[in-house]
Every structure is written in C-alpha cells, then in structure tokens.
Amino acid sequence: MRDVTAAMTEAFPTEDPLLLIPGPSDVADDVLAEMARQVVPHYGPEWTAFFNSVVQRTKWVLQTKNDLFIYAGSGHLGLDAVIASLFEPGDSVVVGCNGYFGERLYELAIDQELKAIKIDVPWGEPLTVEVVESVLDAHPEVSGVLVVHGETSTGVENPVEAIANVVRNRGLLFVVDAVSSAGLIPLEVDAWGIDACVTASQKGLSAPPGVVITTVGPRAWAAVDKRRVPIRGWSTNLAKWREFGDRDYQPYFITMPVNVVRALDVSLRTIEKEGLHARFERHRAVSEYLRRGIRELGLEMVCHDAHALAPVTAFRCPSGKTAHQVRDELLSEAGVHVSPGLGPWNKDVVRVGLMGRNATFGTVERFLTALKGIVGRL
Ligand SMILES: *Cc1c(COP(=O)(O)O)cnc(C)c1O
C-alpha cells in the first residue's frame, strides 16, 4: 500500500508534457489564462447574456438551431441524460458497436433498462449503412439508433451522415456521440437530422474538461413529452434542463463551472476566426501527414485511410514493445504523452490525438522524431 503521507506531499510533475492523447488535449494560452480569472456567479443578467452568447457560438460549431445545453459534467453525463430522457425502460434501441465507445453506449442503454441490440462490426472497421439497415430490418420494434461518430478507441470515423439518412427514412430517433469529432471534422446536426448530439469541452472544442454539450431537436422533445413513465433522476433529466434553460436570469439551477464556460468562449472565438472549414482541413492534412510518417517507420495502421478519424490515429506497436512501453518511453524521453489502446487493444495499439492547437505539422514532426528514436533502437 502507498504511504498516504508521502502521497499527499507528491505534486503533479512540474513539466507539462505535450498532450497527444486522444483528448483531453492541450489548450491555448489565452484559454488557460481565462481559467485564472475570478469566479463569477452562474446567474444574473450579466452571466445570462454571456452564457447565451456561448450557447450561440457552440450551436454554430455543431451547425444547429436546436436547443443546445452547456451543462456541468463530462460527455458521459450528456449521453446518460439523452438515453434516460428520450427512451423509456423496455424500449428497444439499436447501438453501433465497432469499438470501446460503441460498447460503452450499449452499456449506458442497458443501464437505463432499454432493450439494446448491438450492430456488431469488427474493431478497426466502420459501421456501414448496409449493416445498420439489416439490423433495423430484423428489429422493427426499435425506436432509436445510437452511434458514435468518431470511435476514439480505434481512430475510425463512422459514416454518420449516411446512417442518419437511413434512420430518418424509418422515422426513428437518432442519437450521436460526437465527443471526439465535433469541432474537428464535418458534423451538421440539423442538415443530417441528428435528434440528440453530445460532445464535451475538452476534445474538439479545445477547452479544459468540465462541461458537456447536448443538442436536443423537436423529434427528441416530442419523445420526452409523450412518455408514459416519468424520467428518473434529476441531473440527467433533459426535461429539467429545458424547464430552467429558458429563464433569462439563471440558465440552470445547478452551479456551473463558470471558469470553464469562459475558457470555452475564448476557444470558440479562436475556432470562429479560423473558420470551421479551415479547421477541418487542417486536422485532415495533419492526420494524413502523421499516418504517412508512421508508415515510413515501418509501422501499421489499424484502420484503412478511407475511414480514418482525423483527430485520433491508432497504429500497431513495433514488435517487441507493448503499448505501455511505447507510452512510457515517449513520455520520459521526449515529453510526448500518447495513449495505449483500450480493451482488447490495450497491449498492442498506440493512439495519438492531434486536436486543436496540437494539430500542426510541427507537432507531428516532434512526435515522429521521438517515435523514430524508439523504433530505431529495436
Ligand atoms: C472521450 C470520449 C467520451 C467520454 O467523454 P467524457 O467527457 O470523458 O465523459 C465518450 N465518447 C467518445 C467517443 C469519446 O472520445
């Protein structure tokens, strides 16, 4: 057992690594500086006017006019709220499972006592319209479809726009986990017809962790309003969020992480200046450069380029090393922090996140030089 007194005197290492994990990601200095400002109340006309402007900016990133909530919590809280509020215990839903976060969505649905049916696709491959349609054909009882946009565990982008089309045609509710995609790759909540979309501050929006972002469209509200069984819980009850969300004095009846919201605002302004299209292009170009560089070192990608999720790249370890060894060596020798794979890929796969300010060619070069040092020694 660890010596408690010793542990209490330990500080986090003073030198910050270059954070190339698949989120959270390093944030810009002006975003960090905003965090250091004094605490303000989460109510009152000043806060409400400011908060509403942040909501508007975030709606622009997600390309939506639907209701959008910025709430205290991480991505999972928003997913829990959506699942608990749109569906009733016993409802059937179909869940896309081609990685760890798809499995997680399935787990969240089961926790809410839904009958969840998996769309099983091997890790490293994307969901396809065909497989979604065949599962829906076999299960006419389902009322909704839940998918992950960017499968952070495998670095695969699922074809959400095409799947949305199928789901729309069948009149089912469509829920998307866009935690690792929103703000980094194209995502159009309204044009594609996403009924509820969840992301968080710390990945594609390049702010510190602390708030979850959830969009709720008219079909989703209709499902909330026609429930027979009341929504259980309080913090994860979208009807409660809505009830308070339209007041002009206090957006929510919980205390908000005001500093995170302010930091998010600074980051959103930077995203606005760059423009969404330019931001998406930058992430795409840098990701291609990274993939080419990793391959030139003789290493293998876990997914085909055609399905690659720009902000998260996953590759197989050099033989003779585990993912944890690669992680430890990159961190101690080069100050570069990457992540091992998740679940069954924990030993053999390394994941690199390039998000926001770290999505640059210079960052890729620093990473590749460090990786080359490790591969060259083998
Ligand atoms: C990071 C991530 C999550 C988890 O979000 P939290 O903010 O940690 O709750 C969920 N889904 C995906 C796809 C992610 O990348």
Side-chain angles (χ1 to χ4, degrees), residues 89-111:
D91 282 357
S92 294
V93 293
V94 156
V95 186
C97 291
N98 60 331
Y100 187 87
F101 287 99
E103 298 287 338
R104 176 64 57 76
L105 261 188
Y106 174 82
E107 219 178 284
L108 297 184
I110 294 289
D111 275 352

Side-chain angles (χ1 to χ4, degrees), residues 124 154-155 286-309 313-316 352 364 367-368 371-372 375:
T154 59
V286 164
S287 143
E288 280 175 11
Y289 185 59
L290 172 65
R291 294 172 74 83
R292 202 175 326 127
I294 293 172
R295 284 195 173 109
E296 276 166 11
L297 294 176
L299 301 175
E300 196 192 333
M301 295 296 146
V302 297
C303 85
H304 195 279
D305 289 347
H307 324 298
L309 173 65
T313 299
F315 63 92
R316 291 197 199 291
V352 182
V364 172
F367 167 75
L368 288 173
L371 184 63
K372 194 173 177 181
V375 174

Side-chain angles (χ1 to χ4, degrees), residues 138-219:
H139 293 280
E141 74 279 13
V142 304
S143 50
V145 176
L146 282 50
V147 302
V148 177
H149 190 196
E151 197 17 284
T152 321
S153 63
T154 59
V156 166
E157 177 182 339
N158 283 319
V160 163
E161 183 179 6
I163 296 170
N165 198 30
V166 169
V167 176
R168 284 273 64 75
N169 286 340
R170 294 177 187 238
L172 306 174
L173 290 173
F174 191 39
V175 174
V176 175
D177 169 352
V179 177
S180 66
S181 59
L184 301 170
I185 62 173
L187 167 68
E188 300 191 25
V189 168
D190 291 359
W192 296 357
I194 299 170
D195 296 304
C197 183
V198 176
T199 189
S201 50
Q202 78 273 17
K203 290 189 185 170
L205 302 178
S206 303
V211 293
V212 58
I213 287 144
T214 304
T215 75
V216 186
R219 288 179 295 262

Side-chain angles (χ1 to χ4, degrees), residues 6-318:
M8 278 168 67
T9 58
E10 275 170 23
F12 203 75
T14 46
E15 188 109 0
D16 291 327
L18 176 66
L19 201 55
L20 301 187
I21 62 174
S25 190
D26 285 332
V27 306
D29 294 343
D30 57 350
V31 175
L32 272 189
E34 192 68 16
M35 292 289 287
R37 293 186 58 186
Q38 191 49 270
V39 172
V40 294
H42 58 284
Y43 51 82
E46 299 81 11
W47 173 259
T48 306
F50 165 74
F51 183 76
N52 289 340
S53 76
V54 183
V55 169
Q56 288 309 320
R57 291 203 149 81
T58 312
K59 284 187 180 185
W60 169 76
V61 174
L62 297 186
Q63 296 286 289
T64 186
K65 293 192 163 54
N66 287 343
D67 287 329
L68 184 145
F69 301 98
I70 299 177
Y71 205 76
S74 81
H76 278 97
L77 184 97
L79 293 168
D80 261 338
V82 165
I83 294 169
S85 305
L86 269 50
F87 306 103
E88 302 189 44
D91 282 357
S92 294
V93 293
V94 156
V95 186
C97 291
N98 60 331
Y100 187 87
F101 287 99
E103 298 287 338
R104 176 64 57 76
L105 261 188
Y106 174 82
E107 219 178 284
L108 297 184
I110 294 289
D111 275 352
Q112 299 290 345
E113 293 175 32
L114 307 190
K115 292 194 187 107
I117 300 141
K118 283 188 187 183
I119 308 173
D120 260 320
V121 166
W123 285 39
E125 287 176 27
L127 302 172
T128 63
V129 165
E130 293 71 27
V131 70
V132 173
E133 280 192 310
S134 74
V135 173
L136 289 176
D137 284 342
H139 293 280
E141 74 279 13
V142 304
S143 50
V145 176
L146 282 50
V147 302
V148 177
H149 190 196
E151 197 17 284
T152 321
S153 63
T154 59
V156 166
E157 177 182 339
N158 283 319
V160 163
E161 183 179 6
I163 296 170
N165 198 30
V166 169
V167 176
R168 284 273 64 75
N169 286 340
R170 294 177 187 238
L172 306 174
L173 290 173
F174 191 39
V175 174
V176 175
D177 169 352
V179 177
S180 66
S181 59
L184 301 170
I185 62 173
L187 167 68
E188 300 191 25
V189 168
D190 291 359
W192 296 357
I194 299 170
D195 296 304
C197 183
V198 176
T199 189
S201 50
Q202 78 273 17
K203 290 189 185 170
L205 302 178
S206 303
V211 293
V212 58
I213 287 144
T214 304
T215 75
V216 186
R219 288 179 295 262
W221 283 132
V224 169
D225 291 334
K226 73 171 194 354
R227 291 176 68 100
R228 286 155 293 141
V229 183
I231 302 169
R232 272 183 279 181
W234 199 85
S235 292
T236 52
N237 182 336
L238 289 181
K240 293 279 175 207
W241 296 15
R242 174 179 61 179
E243 186 183 306
F244 233 60
D246 59 9
R247 297 203 182 157
D248 56 14
Y249 183 77
Q250 179 171 357
Y252 298 116
F253 43 177
I254 56 155
T255 309
M256 289 291 286
V258 288
N259 304 58
V260 178
V261 178
R262 288 168 73 163
L264 173 63
D265 181 60
V266 173
S267 180
L268 290 169
R269 286 168 194 265
T270 304
I271 296 174
E272 254 171 33
K273 273 199 209 98
E274 181 176 19
L276 282 183
H277 181 74
R279 186 172 166 91
F280 298 156
E281 271 306 299
R282 174 165 62 87
H283 283 84
R284 191 195 56 75
V286 164
S287 143
E288 280 175 11
Y289 185 59
L290 172 65
R291 294 172 74 83
R292 202 175 326 127
I294 293 172
R295 284 195 173 109
E296 276 166 11
L297 294 176
L299 301 175
E300 196 192 333
M301 295 296 146
V302 297
C303 85
H304 195 279
D305 289 347
H307 324 298
L309 173 65
V312 181
T313 299
F315 63 92
R316 291 197 199 291
C317 282

